[in-house]
């Protein structure tokens, strides 16, 4: 019950601060843009849009979310409540992942993409990776400028290899790069589905442990006082 309440609370927070409104508008814009492309370009364009925005929204917005929670003393309350760090992280992953999957589904349907379930699963996994990266980065910052400084190089590492991979550039040392595998699944390349999913889940597990440590440390020092 506590887990459900946390997820609902995060969804209400996201609605209050315009996440749902913004992505409703963005989805409509993306669909219009997709249908200005020649039919042969639309699927690749949709894949890049899904990967680089709804799937990656946790990396873009986590800094702002954490700073808002700090300013409203939400983290102070959570730190002394029965809520566990794992529950906090899962709530963020699920609530942001919901937006990612819905937007990815709409964009996929708009270009008549096949294997929709695989696309949605891949989007959910990609969203989880980016949200955990956002939490790791966000737990260490005190201002939005700091978050941007941390995430800009992170975004380059996360986006450049998968986009190059989508267009056929795949050196051997990046063949099993987790985000390349995510991009591959979203794009509909399913030659190594099982191996891809295993590697992606292993990556999620490692990032979850790092995010747990970073979040726990943040909780213990909220308000400038070590709890």
């Amino acid at each position: 019950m506590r887990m459900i309440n946390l997820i609902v609370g995060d969804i209400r927070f996201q609605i209050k601060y315009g996440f749902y409104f913004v992505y409703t508008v963005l989805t409509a814009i993306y669909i219009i843009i997709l249908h200005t492309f020649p039919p042969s370009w639309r699927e690749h364009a949709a894949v890049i849009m899904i990967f680089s925005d709804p799937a990656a929204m946790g990396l873009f917005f986590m800094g702002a979310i954490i700073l808002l929670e700090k300013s409203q003393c939400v983290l102070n309350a959570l730190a002394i409540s029965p809520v566990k760090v794992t529950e906090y992280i899962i709530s963020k992953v699920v609530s942001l992942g919901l937006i990612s999957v819905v937007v990815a589904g709409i964009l996929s349907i708009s270009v008549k993409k096949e294997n929709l379930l695989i696309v949605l699963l891949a989007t959910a996994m990609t969203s989880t990776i980016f949200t955990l990266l956002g939490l790791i980065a966000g737990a260490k910052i005190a201002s939005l400028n700091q978050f941007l400084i941390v995430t800009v190089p992170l975004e380059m590492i996360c986006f450049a290899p998968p986009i190059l991979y989508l267009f056929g550039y795949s050196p051997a040392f990046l063949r099993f790069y987790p985000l390349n595998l995510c991009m591959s699944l979203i794009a509909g390349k399913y030659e190594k589905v099982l191996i891809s999913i295993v590697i992606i889940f292993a990556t999620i597990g490692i990032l979850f442990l790092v995010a747990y440590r970073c979040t726990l440390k943040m909780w213990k020092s909220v308000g400038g006082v070590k709890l």
Side-chain angles (χ1 to χ4, degrees):
M1 190 64 182
R2 188 168 63 205
M3 187 78 259
I4 294 172
N5 288 337
L6 273 174
I7 293 170
V8 171
D10 275 333
I11 291 172
R12 287 175 176 168
F13 180 94
Q14 291 155 16
I15 292 172
K16 178 181 178 181
Y17 287 98
F19 285 49
Y20 280 74
F21 173 75
V22 167
Y23 272 91
T24 298
V25 174
L26 282 177
T27 302
I29 293 171
Y30 287 155
I31 291 172
I32 292 169
I33 292 172
L34 283 172
H35 285 85
T36 64
F37 292 146
S40 59
W41 293 13
R42 286 176 191 167
E43 188 167 335
H44 267 26
V47 170
I48 293 172
M49 285 180 180
I50 290 169
F51 182 89
S52 63
D53 191 2
M57 66 179 298
L59 180 59
F60 298 146
F61 292 113
M62 192 54 65
I65 291 171
I66 289 175
L67 288 172
L68 280 169
E69 288 181 341
K70 285 181 178 179
S71 69
Q72 297 173 0
C73 297
V74 173
L75 294 181
N76 300 60
L78 289 174
I80 59 172
S81 75
V83 173
K84 298 177 181 178
V85 172
T86 52
E87 294 171 337
Y88 174 84
I89 295 171
I90 291 170
S91 178
K92 291 287 183 286
V93 167
V94 172
S95 60
L96 291 173
L98 178 63
I99 301 174
S100 300
V101 169
V102 170
V103 175
I106 294 170
L107 293 179
S108 297
I109 291 169
S110 74
V111 296
K112 300 179 181 178
K113 198 161 179 11
E114 298 179 356
N115 297 310
L116 182 60
L117 288 178
I118 296 292
V119 174
L120 297 182
L121 174 62
T123 302
M125 293 188 295
T126 308
S127 173
T128 300
I129 289 174
F130 278 120
T131 298
L132 292 173
L133 287 172
L135 270 169
I136 293 166
K140 298 175 180 294
I141 55 99
S143 70
L144 195 55
N145 285 340
Q146 285 184 5
F147 185 74
L148 292 174
I149 291 169
V150 171
T151 56
V152 166
L154 193 58
E155 287 170 13
M156 292 176 65
I157 296 169
C158 289
F159 294 141
I163 291 173
L164 291 173
Y165 178 78
L166 180 65
F167 289 99
Y169 179 74
S170 55
F173 70 94
L174 287 176
R175 193 163 297 164
F176 295 104
Y177 181 51
L179 289 172
N180 281 9
L181 299 176
C182 289
M183 177 70 90
S184 180
L185 291 175
I186 294 173
K189 300 176 182 177
Y190 310 130
E191 295 87 357
K192 300 175 181 177
V193 178
L194 185 57
I195 294 174
S196 297
I197 290 175
V198 169
I199 292 173
I200 293 167
F201 269 99
T203 303
I204 288 171
I206 293 168
L207 290 175
F208 191 94
L209 291 175
V210 177
Y212 177 87
R213 289 179 177 273
C214 292
T215 305
L216 183 61
K217 185 176 180 180
M218 176 177 67
W219 280 23
K220 285 183 176 180
S221 59
V222 289
V225 178
K226 190 170 183 180
L227 297 176

